[in-house]
Amino acid sequence: MRQQVLVLYLSSSALDSQVVGWSRYDGTGRTRPMTGDSDEPPYDTGLAALYDGWRLFQASQLLPPQAGHEYDVSFLKHEFFFEKWEDETQA
Amino acid sequence: MSTSKHLLTSVQMARFVAQGHLRLDGVVPQEINERALAALADGLPGVPYGTPLRTAFPEDAFMSELLALPAVAGTVESLVGPDPTVDHHAVHVREPHDGHAQDLHADAIIDVRPDAFDIQLMYYPHEVTPEMGGTLSVPGSHLRRVNETDIGRVQNLRGQSRLTCPAGTVVLLHHGIWHGGRRNDTARRRFMYKIRLNPTVPQVRLWDTADLDDPAVATELHTYFPWYEAATARLEVYNRVLLWRALTGDASFDVEHWVTRVSNRPALRSHA
């Protein structure tokens, strides 16, 4: 069995909020997703990924901003990791 | 300031502050494009950090003619002033069927200047088609403080720009913008010439400010992009207002009253 990983960046910390960014990593080696290869996300929300059988295994913690850095912007905050397991011999 | 130079308007400048990039499609004549392609294929000698732009290149080099084009010269002057220095320049080549894209990144080390910025001029001497994998950039990302490829995990964002353009296109980027070269799925080499310029004067009202009070300025600065998280989008506007205040010298400018509200500190005992 090999792991497929899907990373969704959501509009808020709610799993059913809109997908604003996405990444794929394919442990079967059958595909090789990379930077800038699509303009449309695979799902509209994180919840839609659950409906399609992806298993959520990590979500970003909710961390308050450091004092003095309340207005700074940097990485996307609401990052959710999903996985699927696939037989590597599967067509 | 109103001038016959091809300076940016205030609305265009506000668009740059909001989006972090401006593109000038097909502004370079084909004769320069052809000479540039020949020069880029041979490689270019380096330029020492801090060399004044006016002395950095021989007069007959394509770089001199490119930077002297009125549309290019006016945009550069509007952004970094009349006498910038060359930080560095480079030839970027994407080989045929180069199956790997660059990770999303910001160039150089993290740069936290709140009131100054460098620009990166990217020049595409030939047409870039979708299959050739032009530069990926993320509008509105330039004020997000990230160090180099720390954002490499992020592959795609809603509203990202996958550049395709006609020959002779110039794109000017704020130094902080998130970007990366996409993979080239064609049999043709893809060339891009990049030059980074440092300002030598305060970046205050360097453009044509005749339209400074145009309501479209605030509209541009209020632009949301589809990849922004709901809460952070307001912080983006907040930070643009701070930059616009620095660029105009107008400490009272605001959009939606947000900066004014949170910096309001009535003196204690003011009603005593």
Side-chain angles (χ1 to χ4, degrees):
Chain A
M1 299 293 283
R2 295 288 183 270
Q3 189 183 27
Q4 297 242 24
V5 175
L6 170 68
V7 193
L8 296 181
Y9 299 88
L10 303 184
S11 177
S12 81
S13 61
L15 189 55
D16 56 355
S17 65
Q18 189 189 42
V19 173
V20 298
W22 60 100
S23 302
R24 291 282 297 267
Y25 297 94
D26 184 352
T28 71
R30 289 195 292 268
T31 63
R32 196 171 168 224
M34 64 180 68
T35 311
D37 58 7
S38 60
D39 283 333
E40 292 300 322
Y43 303 100
D44 284 337
T45 68
L47 186 60
L50 294 185
Y51 291 155
D52 199 35
W54 289 89
R55 296 161 54 95
L56 177 70
F57 69 92
Q58 182 176 299
S60 298
Q61 283 185 279
L62 288 174
L63 297 171
Q66 287 182 283
H69 294 275
E70 293 87 349
Y71 305 106
D72 288 355
V73 286
S74 183
F75 307 118
L76 284 83
K77 288 182 177 179
H78 310 303
E79 182 180 66
F80 293 79
F81 273 80
F82 300 82
E83 67 174 0
K84 272 185 182 176
W85 288 90
E86 287 198 17
D87 185 337
E88 70 269 34
T89 60
Q90 186 177 318
Chain B
M1 179 172 60
S2 185
T3 169
S4 59
K5 292 181 182 177
H6 289 216
L7 296 176
L8 297 178
T9 65
S10 298
V11 174
Q12 289 174 310
M13 192 68 189
R15 190 172 303 149
F16 181 85
V17 168
Q19 303 201 9
H21 72 106
L22 284 171
R23 56 183 287 175
L24 306 171
D25 278 30
V27 295
V28 184
Q30 188 58 22
E31 184 270 331
I32 297 178
N33 293 335
E34 289 170 5
R35 289 177 43 227
L37 276 171
L40 294 176
D42 292 338
L44 298 173
V47 175
Y49 290 115
T51 302
L53 177 59
R54 66 179 181 280
T55 63
F57 307 114
E59 280 187 16
D60 61 350
F62 83 86
M63 297 84 89
S64 296
E65 296 187 27
L66 167 68
L67 288 153
L69 292 169
V72 177
T75 304
V76 167
E77 182 169 340
S78 299
L79 295 169
V80 292
D83 197 20
T85 52
V86 177
D87 183 288
H88 69 283
H89 73 157
V91 183
H92 290 250
V93 182
R94 185 65 50 169
E95 297 295 342
H97 300 295
D98 184 346
H100 186 70
Q102 275 186 310
D103 282 349
L104 197 62
H105 64 281
D107 276 354
I109 65 166
I110 194 168
D111 186 338
V112 299
R113 287 175 290 176
D115 54 0
F117 56 87
D118 297 339
I119 57 168
Q120 304 226 75
L121 184 154
M122 293 182 173
Y123 164 47
Y124 301 85
H126 56 69
E127 180 188 20
V128 178
T129 65
E131 295 74 25
M132 293 173 77
T135 307
L136 177 82
S137 62
V138 185
S141 60
H142 53 300
L143 301 183
R144 295 210 170 204
R145 294 176 176 176
V146 298
N147 191 26
E148 239 280 330
T149 53
D150 281 350
I151 46 170
R153 176 190 293 171
V154 180
Q155 292 174 344
N156 295 285
L157 292 165
R158 281 190 193 265
Q160 64 193 1
S161 170
R162 300 198 289 173
L163 180 75
T164 58
C165 63
T169 293
V170 171
V171 180
L172 297 115
L173 304 170
H174 183 288
H175 69 251
I177 203 161
W178 298 6
H179 68 284
R182 294 175 53 232
R183 70 183 185 199
N184 178 4
D185 289 332
T186 71
R188 181 179 180 186
R189 295 181 93 194
R190 175 164 67 80
F191 287 94
M192 184 270 279
Y193 170 70
K194 182 185 83 175
I195 180 169
R196 181 168 178 142
L197 298 171
N198 308 141
T200 60
V201 298
Q203 288 161 288
V204 180
R205 301 192 184 212
L206 297 173
W207 63 96
D208 182 349
T209 57
D211 62 337
L212 195 57
D213 296 325
D214 189 328
V217 167
T219 301
E220 291 287 348
L221 293 171
H222 203 278
T223 303
Y224 283 13
F225 294 100
W227 64 277
Y228 283 172
E229 309 97 324
T232 317
R234 289 191 171 188
L235 297 182
E236 293 285 353
V237 175
Y238 180 99
N239 285 303
R240 291 178 204 155
V241 169
L242 295 184
L243 181 54
W244 192 249
R245 288 182 173 196
L247 294 175
T248 59
D250 178 2
S252 66
F253 179 86
D254 210 345
V255 172
E256 296 282 7
H257 199 62
W258 294 340
V259 179
T260 307
R261 177 190 297 146
V262 302
S263 57
N264 177 31
R265 305 293 292 273
L268 293 175
R269 294 189 297 277
S270 60
H271 297 291

